[in-house]
Amino acid sequence: KIVNRKSKTPPIKCLLANVNDTRCRCSVKMETMSLRYRLTILTLLVFAATIGAGTMLAQHSAGLLAQRQLLDRLGRTARALADSGTPLGSDQVLSRLGPLLDADILVLAKDGRVIAHSQGQFDWQDLARQVAGAGAAGRPDWLLENGRRVYFALAQRPLPAPEDHLLVCALAGQQRLEETTGLIFRRYLMILGITALLLAGGSYLAGLAMVRRLKRLAGQLDSAFAQGPPPSPRAGDEITRLSESFADLLARLQDSRQRLLAQQRLATTGKLASSVAHEVRNPLQAIRLTVQMLREKCPPDSRPGCDMVIAEIDRLALLTDELLVLAGKTAARPEKIDLAGELEETLRLLKLQLRQRDLRAQVEMPPLPPVRIDRNRCRQLLLNLLLNAIEASPGGGTVGVHGSLNGQRVALRITDGGGGFPPVVLDGRSEEFFSTKSSGAGLGLSICRRIVQEAGGELRLSNPPAGGAAAEIVLPEYSKDQE
């Protein structure tokens, strides 16, 4: 009786809850159990069931067979005595014949009188009455003597007198049948055990071979790609692990398909970028030269406008250089670069964007050693990251730039007050053209990462706990040995 006094739940509900909880635990154990152990348990159950059912059937069949053999033997013995010339009127003769024939002998007159019998411990008078009655009823099978069966068979020996004969009865007690039944049953059981063992062993070996193939297939699926096997061991049986391996394979195929599509788009964009960049660079240079010439002839109050146009032309020229980097048409020319000076020049180009969005650039640049990187690509790198920070920051906010030195590597950290990077960007699972802006092409981060990697550095993206996003450039310190 189960009573939950705290929750006052009726006993029947508690019992059902416990039963369901037990079923759930059993189900979880069965799901996590290895298929090999399940196969072992199933083999043992099949072996036990085969032995149990076969034992009952063998015992019944052995009894019937032993009874039939005993009755056949008693019938042959009775007929052989009846047909032979052996004198049957003496108890001594029948007592000697009994052990030789492995049966007790009873000779009756036609009217049922006992003429002679072997020296068995039976109530011969009672048996004679039953034998006479059974013979008259045509039922030569078995009798009851002291609650136990006595099997018998009858045969007639004709006498010289007309219409006269003797009844020769061969008898065997229940013990004789049990001995024969035990012998037959032991043989049956031996054959049955060997058969069940071979059947269970064959089934187990066949199932074990299947389990090994499943494990081998799951291992091949896990090692099919360069990513290698899963970081943690799989739970469940072999079939569950195989299905998980197939699921991982499909996920990897889908990821590879997405990467292939991105590479195809990147290759197509690179070809277009190369063509567009070559067509745009020359007109931009001509426009810049023209604006510089006009600036010399303009009144002083109009020169700031010309400077702004020149700055925008320079920014467009950097964009064309980015396209050439994406297309792989330009070779990097690394040199000794002062990051502080390049940062100051880039912020001067972005002064208009900062003023339009009411943003303030907070720069903390301690004295840092120079780095080794292509000058134009360094400007592209800083311009892209600062533009991303400006566009992500809300009006009236701050774009932070902080430099530091870590061993022989120079770090430049750019932060904003926006919504931070999406998880796909932080995990490195974004596509080449991924962008959170509706008007963006998704080239900025890809170009920045490529520029930093070409310089032997690293680009780290993160979302600080205080909010916003942070992009950290880590570049190796310039060394004369690299010249």
Side-chain angles (χ1 to χ4, degrees):
K1 184 177 180 181
I2 302 173
V3 178
N4 191 343
R5 295 184 178 181
K6 292 184 178 180
S7 61
K8 297 182 180 180
T9 306
I12 187 63
K13 291 186 177 180
C14 293
L15 181 60
L16 292 176
N18 289 345
V19 170
N20 291 333
D21 184 60
T22 303
R23 288 179 178 176
C24 291
R25 289 198 297 268
C26 293
S27 176
V28 171
K29 290 181 180 179
M30 286 299 294
E31 289 179 358
T32 57
M33 186 183 297
S34 172
L35 192 60
R36 182 174 181 178
Y37 294 146
R38 293 188 188 183
L39 182 62
T40 303
I41 294 174
L42 181 61
T43 302
L44 293 177
L45 290 177
V46 170
F47 180 76
T50 305
I51 288 294
T55 299
M56 292 187 292
L57 182 62
Q59 189 173 10
H60 179 70
S61 301
L64 294 178
L65 181 59
Q67 181 178 343
R68 186 169 63 249
Q69 289 180 353
L70 180 60
L71 292 174
D72 291 343
R73 182 170 60 82
L74 293 176
R76 289 194 300 270
T77 300
R79 288 191 297 271
L81 286 176
D83 295 339
S84 67
T86 305
L88 301 179
S90 173
D91 293 345
Q92 288 77 12
V93 174
L94 296 183
S95 297
R96 292 190 184 96
L97 288 176
L100 295 176
L101 299 175
D102 194 20
D104 293 304
I105 309 300
L106 175 63
V107 179
L108 302 174
K110 181 179 179 181
D111 56 1
R113 289 181 300 105
V114 177
I115 297 177
H117 59 78
S118 59
Q119 298 299 320
Q121 297 179 356
F122 292 113
D123 186 352
W124 296 104
Q125 297 298 328
D126 181 58
L127 284 178
R129 288 192 299 270
Q130 294 190 55
V131 168
R139 179 174 165 263
D141 195 348
W142 53 268
L143 306 172
L144 283 177
E145 197 272 334
N146 292 330
R148 292 178 64 85
R149 289 186 178 185
V150 177
Y151 296 88
F152 72 97
L154 291 175
Q156 295 181 1
R157 170 181 281 191
L159 295 177
E163 299 180 358
D164 195 7
H165 62 271
L166 293 178
L167 291 178
V168 180
C169 180
L171 302 99
Q174 181 73 24
Q175 184 179 0
R176 302 278 181 86
L177 179 65
E178 291 174 354
E179 292 175 355
T180 308
T181 302
L183 179 61
I184 297 175
F185 177 70
R186 285 192 295 273
R187 293 178 179 176
Y188 265 131
L189 197 60
M190 182 177 63
I191 297 173
L192 178 64
I194 295 174
T195 304
L197 184 62
L198 292 177
L199 178 63
S203 302
Y204 178 77
L205 293 178
L208 189 60
M210 181 186 69
V211 171
R212 289 175 179 173
R213 291 183 180 180
L214 291 176
K215 292 175 66 175
R216 191 183 305 114
L217 180 58
Q220 292 174 353
L221 290 177
D222 286 336
S223 60
F225 284 81
Q227 288 87 341
S232 59
R234 303 186 188 277
D237 57 17
E238 285 76 5
I239 296 180
T240 303
R241 293 197 289 269
L242 180 60
S243 63
E244 292 178 358
S245 299
F246 268 111
D248 288 344
L249 176 62
L250 293 178
R252 292 174 181 177
L253 289 176
Q254 184 66 21
D255 184 64
S256 300
R257 181 174 177 272
Q258 295 296 333
R259 291 179 181 274
L260 181 59
L261 291 176
Q263 291 175 359
Q264 291 177 349
R265 292 172 59 188
L266 185 62
T268 303
T269 304
K271 293 179 181 179
L272 293 175
S274 177
S275 301
V276 172
H278 282 293
E279 294 296 330
V280 171
R281 288 184 72 182
N282 292 333
L284 283 179
Q285 294 297 327
I287 294 172
R288 191 179 191 282
L289 292 175
T290 303
V291 173
Q292 285 180 338
M293 293 173 58
L294 292 176
R295 181 182 180 279
E296 300 296 331
K297 299 179 181 180
C298 287
D301 56 346
S302 299
R303 290 180 180 178
C306 293
D307 292 337
M308 184 187 67
V309 173
I310 293 174
E312 292 298 321
I313 292 174
D314 290 339
R315 192 165 69 86
L316 290 175
L318 287 176
L319 180 59
T320 59
D321 291 338
E322 287 181 355
L323 295 176
L324 291 175
V325 170
L326 182 64
K329 297 296 183 179
T330 60
R333 297 182 179 87
E335 55 183 298
K336 183 178 180 181
I337 299 296
D338 180 18
L339 274 182
E342 296 299 328
L343 178 64
E344 182 180 356
E345 180 66 21
T346 305
L347 288 175
R348 186 183 66 82
L349 294 175
L350 297 175
K351 187 181 297 183
L352 177 63
Q353 283 79 0
L354 291 169
R355 186 167 59 250
Q356 288 177 347
R357 298 183 63 87
D358 192 19
L359 296 174
R360 182 173 62 90
Q362 184 178 359
V363 181
E364 297 180 5
M365 289 292 292
L368 296 175
V371 296
R372 188 172 184 271
I373 190 174
D374 184 275
R375 184 178 301 276
N376 291 330
R377 296 192 178 184
C378 180
R379 290 182 181 179
Q380 294 174 11
L381 175 65
L382 296 175
L383 185 63
N384 278 334
L385 294 179
L386 288 171
L387 275 176
N388 287 340
I390 291 172
E391 294 175 355
S393 298
T398 301
V399 175
V401 181
H402 176 73
S404 61
L405 180 63
N406 185 8
Q408 294 184 346
R409 299 176 74 85
V410 178
L412 186 66
R413 183 181 177 88
I414 300 174
T415 59
D416 59 56
F421 291 110
V424 292
V425 176
L426 296 178
D427 297 341
R429 294 182 289 108
S430 62
E431 300 177 3
E432 293 287 345
F433 299 95
F434 178 84
S435 177
T436 58
K437 297 178 288 186
S438 59
S439 60
L443 298 176
L445 288 178
S446 300
I447 293 175
C448 291
R449 187 175 289 109
R450 182 174 299 183
I451 291 174
V452 174
Q453 290 175 352
E454 287 179 354
E458 183 180 359
L459 178 62
R460 301 171 182 172
L461 305 178
S462 62
N463 292 332
E472 185 176 16
I473 307 167
V474 181
L475 296 173
E477 182 182 345
Y478 177 80
S479 173
K480 291 184 178 181
D481 297 338
Q482 297 175 341
E483 294 180 356

